Structures are given as structure tokens and as C-alpha cells.
Amino acid sequence: MPTKKSTTSSGKLTATLRIGHGDSVKEIELPMQSGTMGPDVIDVRQLYGKANVFTYDPAFMATASCESRITYIDGEKGVLLHRGYSIAELAKNGDFLEVCYLLINGELPNAEQKKKFVHDITHHTMLHDQVQYFFRGFRRDAHPMAVMVGVVGALSAFYHDETDYNEPHARMVATYRMIAKMPTIAAWAYKYSMGQPFVYPQNRFGFAENFMQMMFATPCEEYQVSPVVARAMDQILILHADHEQNASTSTVRLAGSSGANPFACIAAGIATLWGPAHGGANEAVIRMLKRIGSKDRIGEFITRAKDPNDTFRLMGFGHRVYKNFDPRATIMRKSAHDVLNEMGMGDNPLLPIAMELERIALEDDYFVQRKLYPNVDFYSGIILQAMGIPSRLFTAVFAVARTVGWMAQWNEMMDDPGRKIGRPRQIYTGHTQRAYVPVKRRA
Ligand code: CMC
């Protein structure tokens, strides 16, 4: 089915698709659309009606699932922009709540807007008192992501009533609640696993500091957050805030397309994020570095990663979209060194293994040819570990950050007047129709 690109007399780009062979070739003209940046797209919505065929793209390798104004990625050039601002500038000059405001509202806040936004988020951080019983229902050794899927899903029972989420104000309240309560939920998942009492949010702290004090303070002792560490946490949150139509975000959009409760949609996003090919990679990086154990065993693991018959992959390497470098990884790499110095952990035994692994992989033909570079999770795992955050909680930190992206994308979808329920098609490869055989006659 070759396609060719042309321009109509009105100047609009179209693509012509030729289907069939010999005398039975049918030509179908399909409209094309252009964004402000990035490749043009062929609009195939009319294809089934016009030609009775579907397109096949199971992992969405070449399919745009929506229009969006939030985040732009050029994977070949290593570019990541939020609402037009580069991630490097945002991470250097901004803070997480400012980036949240930008992602949700489309513009950076002025001083007054920022003050109000920080106040409003801060005053939504407490959980309904009954939510604690959901935590207590889990086994103590439950994975924090399992707890988060459950507790966030349960919030849909607290904020469901007759809310009409087609109404922008209702959506905004849900957005504020979700961003504000996620650190409390993640920190409490940790506290519960430790057998320690829940620590409540304190409105005098900034977002990242508050998150850390809820994880590490106890009723007996306050937790003093170092400014370097609080800033590094804030930066981790900025770098993970949104990443256009990744697996968890697409899940949130798909779940939301049916009009489902937003808290239930976010629970679906958390479940997707948990997988080791997505947000679970930061935890998997530390597990892998510990398994490698020393620099002299790196070669063995590189060989395994390259073996097509071995399922082992180098965790923290490769990305579906970035085929040059992950711009978030560059920022995170520097931050890793700052935090390790601040924490007096320049001698962290995993760091030399990580650095040597990075060096060898970047020079190895297998990784170079496939454009497999260290991604954001390669370094974030190392920083989080230095902060004293247990590796089982790493993906929960990612979920705290990504919540704003999920909510911004959900809002954008809900706001789209052309919104339709998401419904992919398939190539059916099962049996054709056959007759039912009664059980006594079955072989
Ligand atoms: N180690 C060894 N080989 C790899 C790796 C890796 N980490 N990643 C990809 N490859 C190979 C893969 O075997 C394939 O080789 P071949 O062409 O010979 O069959 C080639 O590279 C292309 O891989 P792919 O699986 O087709 O690529 P993808 O775009 O479907 O997968 C990925 C992207 C991120 C799932 C994958 O690179 C991976 O599993 N990486 C490790 C997990 C990880 O770090 N994930 C975090 C991603 S960043 C944070 C986030 O987005 O959540």
C-alpha cells in the first residue's frame, strides 16, 4: 500500500494511498495535517469508510493518537519542550509548582498567580481521614506502587458524587487535589511499609520539602531537609512532570475518554507506570547495579544485554523516542554528582559501577548502532538512593511528578469538543465461524 504526498489546489497537503494490484488498484486520497513542529501526519480516520481497511500499528510506533499543545519532543535532536520552554531552562530556573502551573494553564504564572497556586496546592495536601483505613488494609510488605494504585483508585469513592467533569471548574478542583495529595499518598505508602506512624503535611514547607518530611520525619523527631537535597528532589519532579503520549499518559487519556472518574483514570496511569519498561526502570537500575556488584563484572552483563536469546536488558538504557540523548539525563547526571557530594557519598559503591557501565555502553557498537543512551532513570535511581529513599519507592516518586502531566493531558482531552471514546481495531487471526459441538461429542 504505497503512499505519495501531494498538495491540492487549495494548498492543503494530502497523501494518496494505492491499494490492490493489477487492474484492481484503488487510489484513496487522505488529508494530511501539520503541527507547529514535528512530522506531518496522514489523517486516516476516513480510511475504513472509504477503503474497508485498517492501519496496523500495535505499539503506536508511527501513530499520533491526539492533538496536544502541552509537550513537544524531538527524539532525534534530544529536545524536550513544555509549552514551548526547554526542559533545561525550566529545571535550571523554575520550580516544580511553577512547571505544574505551566503544564496545566499553558503559561508561566506571574508573581500573584504563583502565590495563589502554591497556596491552593498546599491547602489540598491533607487526605480525608478515612483514607488511612485503605492503607491499613494492605499487607505491610505490599509494594508502594500497589498501595498507590489502590489508594488513588479509592479516592474516586471520596470525590465522585454528581461531579460533572465536563465542567472546567470541577476538573480544576480534581487536578489540584490530585497534584497536592500524591506526595502524601506516596509518603504514607512508605511509612506504612516501615511500620511508622503517618506524618501529616506541614503547610510551612515547600512541595519537595514537605514530601521529604512526610517520608522521613517521625512524631518524635523533625526531619531537617538540606536545601541541596530539597532542590534535587524538586528537579527530579520537574524532569518527570510530563512526557507527551507515553504509555501511562496514553492510558490515562484512554481511560478518561469513556468519561471515567479522574481519580480512577490516574490509578490506571500509576499501574502502567509501574512496569520496568516505563517508570519501574529507576528501581530496576539499582537492582541491576547491585547484581553487577563490581566493575570487573560489567563485561559479563554487557554480553548478556547484547545476546538476542537472553531477556536481560541494561536497565536505564534506551528510549522509544530519544534516539540521540535524553535531555533529562544530562541534567540528572550533574545533579547526581551534586547530591552525592552533599550527602558525603562520593564513595557510594554503585556510582563507579554506574559510570563505568555508562562509559562502556556508550562506546560499544551494539549500543551505538541502536542509539541506546542512558535515560533519565539511569541517574534518578542513583540520586534517590543517595537521598535515603528505598528503591521500592522510586517509581512512586516518579508517579508524584507525573501526576501533573496526566492531569494536564486529561484536561486537554476532556476539553476537546471532538472527544470520542478511544477504541482501537485489530487484525483478527483466530478461528473463522464454526459449529458448536455438544460436550459428549467432543474429542
Ligand atoms: N539493553 C539492551 N538492548 C536493548 C535495550 C537495553 N536497555 N533497549 C533496547 N535494546 C535493543 C533491543 O533488543 C533491540 O535490538 P534488536 O534491534 O537487535 O532487536 C533494539 O535495541 C530496539 O529495542 P526496542 O525494544 O525495539 O525499543 P523500544 O523503543 O520498543 O523500547 C525501551 C524502548 C525503553 C522499552 C527499551 O529501550 C528498554 O527496555 N530499556 C530498558 C528499560 C528502561 O530503561 N526504561 C525506561 C525508559 S525512560 C523512562 C520512561 O519513559 O518511563
Side-chain angles (χ1 to χ4, degrees):
M1 293 202 304
T3 52
K4 81 172 189 266
K5 211 160 117 173
S6 52
T7 314
T8 60
S9 51
S10 63
K12 286 204 169 143
L13 265 183
T14 59
T16 308
L17 180 66
R18 290 163 55 82
I19 305 174
H21 53 83
D23 292 340
S24 61
V25 170
K26 194 174 170 187
E27 284 208 347
I28 316 265
E29 194 175 66
L30 295 165
M32 291 188 65
Q33 291 187 36
S34 304
T36 45
M37 291 188 281
D40 296 330
V41 301
I42 304 171
D43 182 343
V44 295
R45 280 176 292 181
Q46 299 165 8
L47 189 58
Y48 179 53
K50 282 187 173 174
N52 197 31
V53 292
F54 294 136
T55 55
Y56 181 60
D57 187 16
F60 304 114
M61 306 286 285
T63 296
S65 60
C66 62
E67 264 183 47
S68 182
R69 294 161 178 264
I70 301 173
T71 292
Y72 174 77
I73 300 174
D74 182 335
E76 297 299 326
K77 295 196 185 126
V79 170
L80 168 60
L81 309 178
H82 291 320
R83 303 284 192 183
Y85 295 100
S86 87
I87 190 65
E89 275 201 281
L90 291 171
K92 186 165 172 243
N93 306 315
D95 59 50
F96 179 62
L97 284 187
E98 199 170 70
V99 173
C100 288
Y101 186 99
L102 174 70
L103 288 169
I104 298 165
N105 296 295
E107 296 297 337
L108 286 167
N110 63 28
E112 202 180 312
Q113 288 164 332
K114 184 168 175 180
K115 195 169 162 210
K116 178 166 178 355
F117 184 70
V118 170
H119 174 274
D120 291 350
I121 294 291
T122 306
H123 287 81
H124 274 101
T125 48
M126 213 162 75
L127 298 176
H128 189 292
D129 200 46
Q130 284 178 2
V131 172
Q132 60 166 293
Y133 299 109
F134 286 91
F135 285 91
R136 297 189 196 285
F138 281 95
R139 282 173 59 126
R140 252 196 65 190
D141 57 359
H143 194 283
M145 288 298 277
V147 176
M148 288 186 77
V149 171
V151 171
V152 173
L155 290 186
S156 58
F158 286 80
Y159 307 113
H160 70 110
D161 32 52
E162 269 86 55
T163 310
D164 175 8
Y165 289 110
N166 291 309
E167 205 262 297
H169 180 70
R171 288 209 299 274
M172 216 28 81
V173 175
T175 302
Y176 280 41
R177 280 186 171 138
M178 211 52 266
I179 296 170
K181 292 182 199 308
M182 279 297 260
T184 315
I185 294 170
W188 284 20
Y190 172 55
K191 283 299 196 197
Y192 185 71
S193 73
M194 295 290 288
Q196 291 183 6
F198 299 135
V199 172
Y200 284 82
Q202 293 290 334
N203 291 350
R204 66 178 189 279
F205 290 124
F207 193 86
E209 274 176 300
N210 204 11
F211 180 30
M212 296 201 69
Q213 75 88 21
M214 285 191 284
M215 281 189 281
F216 296 121
T218 68
C220 325
E221 209 165 355
E222 272 198 22
Y223 174 74
Q224 297 293 337
V225 189
S226 128
V228 174
V229 171
R231 175 70 189 138
M233 174 58 87
D234 198 73
Q235 219 172 39
I236 287 178
L237 298 178
I238 294 175
L239 295 178
H240 288 85
D242 189 50
H243 214 227
E244 52 119 301
Q245 309 311 319
N246 56 83
S248 56
T249 302
S250 298
T251 301
V252 171
R253 278 189 178 254
L254 190 57
S257 74
S258 72
N261 178 288
F263 298 93
C265 297
I266 299 300
I270 297 171
T272 311
L273 185 72
W274 190 1
H278 193 3
N282 51 15
E283 181 181 348
V285 167
I286 297 297
R287 264 202 313 269
M288 174 188 77
L289 293 175
K290 283 184 179 160
R291 261 175 80 199
I292 296 176
S294 64
K295 283 206 255 183
D296 54 326
R297 290 193 63 210
I298 291 176
E300 187 189 313
F301 284 82
I302 295 263
T303 307
R304 284 193 58 194
K306 295 189 320 195
D307 180 353
N309 300 316
D310 192 326
T311 53
F312 175 78
R313 282 187 165 199
L314 279 193
M315 286 293 123
F317 282 80
H319 199 277
R320 167 61 62 79
V321 182
Y322 294 120
K323 301 300 177 198
N324 182 324
F325 65 94
D326 180 341
R328 303 167 301 169
T330 314
I331 304 163
M332 203 67 99
R333 188 178 196 273
K334 181 181 177 308
S335 182
H337 287 282
D338 292 349
V339 171
L340 291 171
N341 288 337
E342 167 72 12
M343 306 297 282
M345 291 179 75
D347 58 348
N348 179 329
L350 297 186
L351 194 65
I353 302 173
M355 295 304 134
E356 184 65 1
L357 184 64
E358 181 201 41
R359 190 188 65 77
I360 294 176
L362 287 176
E363 286 172 2
D364 190 295
D365 262 5
Y366 174 94
F367 291 89
V368 173
Q369 274 168 17
R370 288 169 182 74
K371 300 182 174 175
L372 300 171
Y373 294 89
N375 58 46
V376 67
D377 288 329
F378 184 68
Y379 303 105
S380 68
I382 295 168
I383 303 181
L384 291 170
Q385 205 214 21
M387 286 175 175
I389 294 174
S391 54
R392 275 159 61 90
L393 206 67
F394 288 0
T395 316
V397 176
F398 192 159
V400 168
R402 186 53 59 84
T403 297
V404 61
W406 291 330
M407 291 310 288
Q409 302 266 354
W410 172 80
N411 268 293
E412 188 177 63
M413 182 204 59
M414 293 296 287
D415 219 16
D416 179 356
R419 168 165 66 97
K420 277 184 184 295
I421 185 167
R423 173 60 166 91
R425 304 304 291 249
Q426 62 172 12
I427 305 181
Y428 176 70
T429 54
H431 278 287
T432 52
Q433 187 167 352
R434 50 186 173 158
Y436 177 84
V437 180
V439 67
K440 56 182 179 216
R441 286 189 13 229
R442 282 178 222 156

